[in-house]
Amino acid sequence: MVTYRLSYLFGLRSVEVTVDTRTDRTPDGSRRIELEVTVDGQPWSTYVVTVDTRDDGTVVEYEYTADRRFGLRRVPQRIVANRYRDEALEAQGYAVVERNEQYGAAI
């Protein structure tokens, strides 16, 4: 487990982020890493990452689940992030093969 402070809004605000990790092996020998993220002690998100080495390189698959609600003002941010995410990853040498995103609404 690691905890660090993250400042934003030009240092006017900050939060304490904690990341707790667990690593296992899958039956086929891949590594499975689970990360639970909390912000100021409140659940934020969970990531489940599977890392597998294949003949042509390393394959990383991840599943992200938000453990908190986000307001409607976050929708434009998600649209912009989705538009440029693959290009940003490709600029760093990654190849995005497939992406599947789902959103839900809590009432």
Side-chain angles (χ1 to χ4, degrees), residues 23-91:
T23 304
D24 296 313
R25 288 278 180 187
T26 63
D28 67 356
S30 300
R31 285 175 293 177
R32 181 182 182 275
I33 306 157
E34 184 173 334
L35 300 101
E36 290 183 4
V37 180
T38 59
V39 175
D40 287 338
Q42 300 297 314
W44 184 266
S45 60
T46 301
Y47 298 85
V48 177
V49 182
T50 303
V51 181
D52 187 21
T53 303
R54 298 189 185 155
D55 294 337
D56 57 345
T58 301
V59 176
V60 178
E61 296 179 3
Y62 77 94
E63 180 179 325
Y64 160 81
T65 305
D67 296 326
R68 65 182 290 265
R69 294 180 182 182
F70 292 93
L72 287 176
R73 66 179 182 215
R74 299 283 184 181
V75 173
Q77 292 173 339
R78 294 298 300 181
I79 291 170
V80 171
N82 287 342
R83 165 63 182 92
Y84 295 104
R85 182 181 296 130
D86 292 353
E87 290 177 19
L89 289 169
E90 288 169 2

